[in-house]
Amino acid sequence: MRQSSTFEPGISEGGEIDFERGLQPQDFSEFLGQKNLLEPLQLMIRASAARQETLEHLLFTGLPGLGKTSLAMALAKEIGAPLKMTSGPALSRAKDLVGILSQLEKGTLLFIDEIHRLPTEVEEYLYGAMDRFQIEWTFDAGVHARLLKLDLKPFTLVGATTREALLTPPFRSRFGHHLRFEPYSEEALAAILQRSAKLLRIHLEEDATTVLAEHARGTPRIANRLLRRARDIAQLENDNRVNRAVVKRTFQLLEIDARGLERPDRRVLEALAQAGGRPLGLKNLGVAVGEAEDTIAEVIEPWLIRQGLLMRTPQGRLLTPQGWVALGLPAPATDETAG
Ligand code: ADP
């Protein structure tokens, strides 16, 4: 599902959703590079089918673009279950949730994206639905208040979140299995790129695949979007062939530098440098670079941390020594180095 982020590397807006849908894996065989997630899931599917039960509730956690929505869709196809997709922000009132739950067919996969954004009140209604397939619903108030018990058809909740830490322990404990999505290897990204190129009917050369995979930040969504940008150039200038030169041109246009940094990354690093080595909180950093806090925390920062350019401390975000080097600036003297 679309994330609320304003910045995603290598991206422009128009047509992105259709583009992503066209490349979505259709079943487990097309869901590449995450064997460690698929194997336990396949075991659960077989066991619950043998018991003739619905699959236990599943929690998918991980950064945007790692395939949480895709896996939910592939899973529904794999087990032949109806799929209902919604999101935490769309369920802002208990009424919205009750409306959806009461209409689920038996065995439906109910995918709730951004589940950390469910209001507490709505979350509590979900508990009974998850535990007993029942909701207790009070309507009217005071002496007229009436309690209505509604039996639901057994369903499987698939909750997805980029912010696992924001889920309460009672909520988290209600999921039978937790799948943690990690960044993909470059080989897995290369396989995803090759599959996408085939679907898009473009010729993607091997060394170009390698460079795109290296710059995809472990994220299939970014890999596919870099490919899309390269395809534009290849179509206009290179007879639909994406080679190394086309990728190089693509990166120039997207202002991706030799280290793989894009403009928003550089803005974050520069804002931290301007703080002169003092830690900056997420809020202040967001204001300084003009990006939403979630975008910084979920999209920009994780990669900068993995590159060793930025670190999170209890006081806020700081540049690492390599971060200063990346900006071509001397690191300010710290207490230890000064003393
Ligand atoms: P999330 O829900 O975690 O934000 P998505 O499922 O929307 O991520 O993935 C974004 C896009 O990346 C998908 O449309 C699909 O094209 C591609 N993708 C993600 N994971 C995989 C995978 N394992 N194999 C192939 N393509 C993938």
Side-chain angles (χ1 to χ4, degrees):
M1 219 171 243
R2 284 286 291 173
Q3 301 294 326
S4 52
S5 316
T6 52
F7 163 71
E8 292 176 69
I11 288 159
S12 72
E13 297 81 34
E16 293 291 347
I17 298 177
D18 287 345
F19 173 78
E20 275 201 347
R21 280 207 191 114
L23 299 179
Q24 211 126 34
Q26 295 300 305
D27 55 32
F28 281 2
S29 70
E30 293 186 359
F31 191 81
L32 304 170
Q34 294 279 0
K35 267 212 169 79
N36 57 326
L37 295 182
L38 288 186
E39 278 171 2
L41 196 53
Q42 280 164 322
L43 199 79
M44 279 181 76
I45 294 172
R46 285 211 305 277
S48 63
R51 290 194 302 265
Q52 298 189 318
E53 287 176 1
T54 48
L55 204 58
E56 283 181 67
H57 305 304
L58 301 167
L59 180 62
F60 291 1
T61 60
L63 294 172
L66 292 183
K68 298 180 293 300
T69 311
S70 302
L71 185 57
M73 294 173 83
L75 173 61
K77 289 232 173 85
E78 201 73 31
I79 61 175
L83 176 68
K84 172 84 195 160
M85 304 187 91
T86 183
S87 71
L91 300 172
S92 58
R93 296 163 308 168
K95 218 167 100 185
D96 304 323
L97 177 74
V98 175
I100 287 191
L101 290 176
S102 60
Q103 286 175 27
L104 293 182
E105 288 171 55
K106 184 165 183 255
T108 300
L109 279 195
L110 172 64
F111 180 76
I112 307 186
D113 201 19
E114 298 188 78
I115 198 157
H116 60 275
R117 293 178 66 189
L118 272 184
T120 319
E121 181 218 3
V122 179
E123 181 183 312
E124 281 165 7
Y125 274 104
L126 202 50
Y127 290 174
M130 291 173 80
D131 296 345
R132 302 180 300 280
F133 303 120
Q134 199 174 62
I135 8 179
E136 292 184 354
W137 172 248
T138 316
F139 59 105
D140 284 348
V143 286
H144 300 294
R146 278 176 297 159
L147 186 72
L148 182 78
K149 273 195 191 157
L150 191 65
D151 287 324
L152 306 170
K153 310 233 171 65
F155 68 97
T156 300
L157 175 65
V158 181
T161 178
T162 48
R163 306 287 286 275
E164 185 193 338
L166 298 182
L167 295 187
T168 59
F171 195 14
R172 215 177 311 171
S173 68
R174 286 181 156 84
F175 292 92
H177 184 55
H178 182 171
L179 283 83
R180 290 192 172 81
F181 287 63
E182 299 288 343
Y184 289 55
S185 67
E186 282 169 19
E187 295 77 54
L189 291 168
I192 290 172
L193 283 161
Q194 283 297 342
R195 171 178 174 270
S196 302
K198 222 181 248 164
L199 290 170
L200 297 170
R201 289 171 222 245
I202 41 177
H203 181 82
L204 176 60
E205 290 186 3
E206 201 174 317
D207 54 352
T209 315
T210 310
V211 186
L212 287 172
E214 277 167 10
H215 283 78
R217 305 179 177 206
T219 309
R221 177 179 290 144
I222 299 176
N224 281 338
R225 287 180 170 173
L226 291 174
L227 178 64
R228 185 184 196 199
R229 297 281 81 82
R231 176 183 71 162
D232 292 345
I233 295 175
Q235 255 171 2
L236 296 174
E237 299 176 4
N238 207 39
D239 192 23
N240 264 337
R241 298 180 79 80
V242 176
N243 58 17
R244 228 187 149 92
V246 166
V247 172
K248 199 169 159 207
R249 280 261 295 134
T250 309
F251 288 174
Q252 274 165 358
L253 282 175
L254 295 174
E255 297 180 62
I256 300 176
D257 70 16
R259 286 176 175 271
L261 294 173
E262 298 191 31
R263 210 165 349 131
D265 304 318
R266 288 190 292 269
R267 283 212 310 268
V268 164
L269 297 179
E270 279 157 13
L272 293 174
Q274 269 161 20
R278 273 174 291 109
L280 268 190
L282 193 54
K283 203 177 224 151
N284 289 335
L285 189 55
V287 171
V289 301
E291 291 282 0
E293 288 174 42
D294 279 358
T295 307
I296 295 181
E298 295 171 19
V299 183
I300 304 177
E301 182 178 88
W303 184 77
L304 294 175
I305 293 173
R306 290 213 305 281
Q307 296 306 299
L309 302 175
L310 180 154
M311 61 183 163
R312 271 189 207 146
T313 70
Q315 292 75 36
R317 276 69 179 163
L318 276 178
L319 282 183
T320 61
Q322 293 104 294
W324 289 98
V325 172
L327 291 174
L329 295 170
T334 60
D335 288 348
E336 296 105 69
T337 54

